[in-house]
Amino acid sequence: MPIALKPTQRKALIEQCRMHYESMKASRGDWESRHEHRWQRFYADPSLRPEGPWADAPKIFTTHTRRTTERIQAELWQALFGNDDSLMQEPFGEEDVIRAELATRFHRWTLTSAINDTERGGWNYLGQMAILDALIDGVSILKVYPWKTPWPAPATGGRWLETLIRIDVVDQTYFLTPPGVTGVQYPDCPYLAEEMYLRYDDLRRRKASGWKVPDEEALHRETRELSPKEMADRELHGETSEELEEQILLVGSYERFVLDEKNGLEEDVVVHWYPRADPEGEEAFASAERLIDLFSQPDRPRRPYFPIVIWPLPHQWRGLNVPDRLEVPQDTINRLLEQMINYGDI
């Protein structure tokens, strides 16, 4: 449930979120352009080839980077998730025998349906995309959190699994961390945020859960361009349109904030807010909730973000990844092929 905050608390919390948000965006440097460049190289985009050292040189872009990355991805997937022996499982006790059949049915259904919210192949698709993102970006982020079914639970009695798990692969284009972090949990990462682009109708539906959603005129709407990765995903699933509706930028910030001013203790909160709204007005604030209420853990509140490190380098959050390591030999092969064409050998 959203926390009821005083106006002064809301203002202080949004100011803190804005300050951290600007710090995280500044710490990214040119990462967004490098991220786009890597995906273009992965898909062997000929437009990336510079002009050759001679007139009318051909623009060749071979697919060694993509083939190598896909092979590593397939081998990692097979090694990590290719069979049940590679998954950590807890044994059943005698008290679980009665519930075994029900648990088995839900286990199978969850792996094929519950995390398949995007209709893209369930766990198989999400797992392979996580590995692929990790290979291309250095670090991939999985978001794991409880998922409520869109249909109501049974009204009376019966056996019912109350908590289902949803897993998303978070695109690092919209994932923000402060400089120098060594993980995604506190205190390794003091605060973090995730950007989301939503339609106004999506926001309006959240009013029922206590969110503050100002009038549409008070929110800045924009039409953003699709990244090469998003365009490739659309083509992969047969979506030909590249047009996007006007959307509203929403930021979900994970912060530590003093809610009870009497005891002065900081608590982990999740704040959703509109960065393009009037900074002096009340429109920027959407909701604030305790992390422990959203993601209940027995020991301490933890954020639902988990990194998959495929090619780590010491003291680096985003290391030199496979496509970058292949860039020099790939360009060398490209130049040799161009010379052979130029001299008429092939």
Side-chain angles (χ1 to χ4, degrees):
M1 291 295 294
I3 308 166
L5 297 176
K6 302 175 184 176
T8 53
Q9 286 181 306
R10 286 201 299 268
K11 183 178 180 181
L13 184 54
I14 293 299
E15 287 179 354
Q16 176 178 313
C17 289
R18 283 192 188 279
M19 179 179 66
H20 290 166
Y21 180 66
E22 295 301 326
S23 171
M24 288 185 286
K25 288 186 74 69
S27 72
R28 291 170 67 87
D30 62 344
W31 183 84
E32 290 185 25
S33 61
R34 287 186 285 115
H35 173 78
E36 181 174 324
H37 181 79
R38 290 167 185 168
W39 271 94
Q40 286 180 280
R41 291 190 66 86
F42 174 73
Y43 284 106
D45 188 342
S47 67
L48 294 179
R49 294 294 295 121
E51 293 293 338
W54 51 85
D56 302 320
K59 279 195 174 185
I60 297 176
F61 197 103
T62 59
T63 57
H64 297 292
T65 299
R66 179 172 182 174
R67 285 201 300 267
T68 304
T69 304
E70 286 178 336
R71 178 177 176 179
I72 295 172
Q73 174 202 22
E75 291 176 352
L76 282 169
W77 170 259
Q78 187 63 30
L80 294 173
F81 308 110
N83 59 76
D84 291 339
D85 294 335
S86 61
L87 301 177
M88 296 297 295
Q89 303 179 43
E90 294 184 4
F92 279 100
E94 290 295 330
E95 68 280 1
D96 297 312
V97 174
I98 300 175
R99 302 191 297 271
E101 181 185 357
L102 179 68
T104 302
R105 289 205 305 268
F106 268 101
H107 174 71
R108 291 173 179 167
W109 180 79
T110 301
L111 289 182
T112 57
S113 301
I115 64 174
N116 186 16
D117 57 290
T118 55
E119 298 298 329
R120 293 181 175 179
W123 169 247
N124 184 66
Y125 171 81
L126 293 173
Q128 295 214 29
M129 282 304 297
I131 293 176
L132 179 61
D133 284 356
L135 288 170
I136 292 178
D137 295 335
V139 178
S140 180
I141 304 297
L142 282 179
K143 187 176 183 181
V144 184
Y145 54 101
W147 181 70
K148 294 183 180 179
T149 60
W151 56 85
T156 56
R159 297 181 300 173
W160 181 254
L161 191 63
E162 295 181 356
T163 303
L164 301 176
I165 299 301
R166 175 166 155 172
I167 304 175
D168 294 335
V169 179
V170 180
D171 189 337
Q172 286 192 75
T173 307
Y174 310 112
F175 190 75
L176 299 169
T177 59
V181 298
T182 56
V184 290
Q185 301 297 332
Y186 186 87
D188 299 327
C189 181
Y191 50 85
L192 58 81
E194 183 183 354
E195 294 180 321
M196 295 162 274
Y197 284 90
L198 302 175
R199 298 177 304 173
Y200 187 74
D201 287 345
D202 298 327
L203 293 173
R204 193 166 50 190
R205 293 189 189 98
R206 304 195 182 198
K207 275 190 173 182
S209 58
W211 279 44
K212 293 183 179 298
V213 181
D215 294 335
E216 197 169 359
E217 294 74 19
L219 295 174
H220 177 77
R221 299 171 60 173
E222 58 189 281
T223 302
R224 61 186 180 87
E225 295 182 1
L226 288 173
S227 68
K229 178 183 177 182
E230 291 172 318
M231 292 175 62
D233 279 345
R234 287 198 171 198
E235 292 173 1
L236 184 65
H237 300 99
E239 301 175 19
T240 56
S241 174
E242 297 182 5
E243 296 182 2
L244 282 176
E245 301 178 60
E246 286 190 339
Q247 296 177 317
I248 296 164
L249 176 61
L250 177 76
V251 175
S253 296
Y254 289 72
E255 301 278 347
R256 290 178 66 85
F257 188 75
V258 177
L259 296 174
D260 188 347
E261 296 173 344
K262 291 183 179 179
N263 61 35
L265 295 177
E266 288 186 328
E267 297 184 51
D268 290 275
V269 294
V270 182
V271 188
H272 287 91
W273 57 289
Y274 312 103
R276 306 285 169 78
D278 181 9
E280 301 298 329
E282 288 284 326
E283 293 83 5
F285 180 83
S287 75
E289 298 168 87
R290 287 182 172 87
L291 180 61
I292 194 68
D293 293 336
L294 289 175
F295 312 106
S296 301
Q297 290 104 15
D299 52 352
R300 61 183 178 88
R302 276 194 290 268
R303 301 160 183 163
Y305 299 99
F306 299 91
I308 296 179
V309 181
I310 298 295
W311 201 306
L313 290 178
H315 310 299
Q316 290 194 23
W317 173 242
R318 299 184 178 94
L320 188 63
N321 46 72
V322 173
D324 280 352
R325 290 173 184 266
L326 294 174
E327 182 172 352
V328 173
Q330 177 177 318
D331 283 346
T332 302
I333 293 172
N334 290 348
R335 288 299 185 186
L336 289 173
L337 286 170
E338 289 174 354
Q339 288 185 36
M340 294 171 72
I341 291 174
N342 188 61
Y343 295 139
D345 295 332
I346 58 173

